[in-house]
Amino acid sequence: PRGARLLAGFELEAGRPREAAAVLENMLGRGVEDAEAWALLGQARLAAGRPREAADALARATRLAPEDAALLS
């Protein structure tokens, strides 16, 4: 999961949110429960113009790690 998060972060910073989302969706679609990845997916989806799906991903992140407010920043 860490490698996928790093790759997705690189894609997002390079201005490729769709690619970032695809990397994370692939990883998370295999049942990985990773709050940081869900939060990053929310950011990627928002940057890609998918606000409803972004909200869903961010909500999942907060359910997995409710004590970690930094996920939303």
Side-chain angles (χ1 to χ4, degrees):
R2 184 170 186 257
R5 282 195 318 265
L6 289 173
L7 176 59
F10 173 78
E11 295 288 6
L12 192 56
E13 289 202 15
R16 296 186 293 264
R18 289 184 189 136
E19 290 82 352
V23 167
L24 293 162
E25 288 165 351
N26 181 41
M27 179 187 83
L28 294 167
R30 289 182 268 144
V32 175
E33 293 294 336
D34 184 313
E36 288 182 45
W38 280 105
L40 189 56
L41 178 58
Q43 293 172 8
R45 285 176 171 174
L46 188 60
R50 299 163 54 190
R52 286 190 178 147
E53 292 172 276
D56 291 343
L58 292 169
R60 182 84 172 256
T62 57
R63 280 194 303 274
L64 290 171
E67 70 289 343
D68 194 353
L71 288 175
L72 302 178
S73 59

